[in-house]
Amino acid sequence: MIHAVLIFNTSGVPRLIKFYSPIAHSAQTLVEKIFSLVSSRQPGLCNFLDAPELETFLKPKDGDGEKLRVVYRNYATLYFVFVVDHAESELGILDLIQVFVESLDSAFENVCELDLVFHFDEAHHILAEIIQGGLVLETNVNEIDRAVQEAARARKESYASANPLSLGGGGAVGSRSAGLQSPLGWLAGRLTGVGAR
C-alpha cells in the first residue's frame, strides 16, 4: 500500500502532500523528517531506503507494524517521494513516479515548481486519477490525460452554464446562458452601435 505521496523542492518546501494513512504527529514534522532522509543522500545512491523512523509518524490502517520504505526521484528542483510498505515493489513505484511526472508534463507542458504552486488542484486531480486510497488505479498516461481533460471540460461547461456572466459563454445546447451575451460582447455592441434601438 502507498501511505503517502509528497512533492517538495530542494529547500524542503512541500508542493503537494497526500496521505493515505492516518498520521500520528503533525504533517509538517513528517515532511521535515522525510526531507532530511532524502536530501542527505548522495546522488549516486539507490532511490529507495528503509525508514523505520517513520513508523512512529504513520499508522498503517491494519496496524500490524509494517516496515515502511521511502521511494523517491529527483527531477531538477523537485523531489517526488512515495512512502510505501513492504507489499509494494520499489521498481514499480519508481515507474509509477515516472507515470505521474509524465502526466504532469502533459498537463502543464514541462511541469515546473510554479505549476504545482498555482495549479495545485489540477495536480491533486492527476494524482487522484493514478492513486485512490493508497492503491494504484491507472498507469496508462494517455488514459490519465483523457480523464483529466474530460474533467476540465466538464468543469468549464458547468461554470459557464451556472454563471451567465462568464466570458466562456458555455455554448452547450440547453445551457442557461444560451440566449445571453457576455458582458464584453454587450459592451462592444453598445460602443459600436450594434443592437441599438
Side-chain angles (χ1 to χ4, degrees):
M1 179 181 165
I2 299 169
H3 293 278
V5 175
L6 305 116
I7 302 175
F8 43 79
N9 64 15
T10 53
S11 301
V13 178
R15 296 302 181 200
L16 182 142
I17 300 174
K18 180 68 177 173
F19 293 105
Y20 298 102
S21 296
I23 54 175
H25 301 288
S26 76
Q28 184 62 36
T29 308
L30 179 60
V31 170
E32 289 171 0
K33 185 67 174 170
I34 292 173
F35 177 72
S36 68
L37 287 171
V38 170
S39 64
S40 64
R41 292 178 59 90
Q42 299 298 322
L45 292 177
C46 179
N47 284 353
F48 42 90
L49 62 128
D50 289 325
E53 55 270 12
L54 296 182
E55 292 172 17
T56 60
F57 291 95
L58 288 169
K59 294 180 181 176
K61 289 180 180 175
D62 50 6
D64 64 355
E66 298 172 340
K67 301 295 181 200
L68 297 178
R69 184 165 281 191
V70 173
V71 182
Y72 70 96
R73 288 283 301 262
N74 184 10
Y75 292 96
T77 62
L78 294 172
Y79 285 100
F80 290 78
V81 180
F82 282 49
V83 179
V84 299
D85 58 25
H86 67 282
E88 297 291 336
S89 164
E90 291 86 4
L91 296 176
I93 296 297
L94 283 174
D95 189 42
L96 189 63
I97 292 172
Q98 182 66 31
V99 167
F100 185 36
V101 171
E102 286 178 14
S103 297
L104 289 171
D105 271 342
S106 65
F108 298 121
E109 299 174 7
N110 257 347
V111 67
C112 68
E113 187 175 349
L114 289 177
D115 291 324
L116 298 177
V117 171
F118 292 116
H119 303 287
F120 64 90
D121 54 338
E122 193 167 345
H124 276 279
H125 183 244
I126 292 169
L127 182 61
E129 289 293 329
I130 299 171
I131 301 169
Q132 281 289 320
L135 302 175
V136 178
L137 289 181
E138 184 64 64
T139 58
N140 184 341
V141 176
N142 295 328
E143 286 296 317
I144 295 165
D145 291 342
R146 185 188 56 73
V148 168
Q149 289 172 358
E150 283 178 9
R153 185 173 49 254
R155 265 193 320 272
K156 286 179 185 174
E157 288 174 2
S158 173
Y159 175 75
S161 67
N163 185 359
L165 298 178
S166 70
L167 295 177
V173 176
S175 69
R176 290 170 30 182
S177 63
L180 299 175
Q181 279 186 321
S182 69
L184 184 62
W186 178 83
L187 181 61
R190 292 293 178 198
L191 292 175
T192 59
V194 177
R197 296 185 178 158

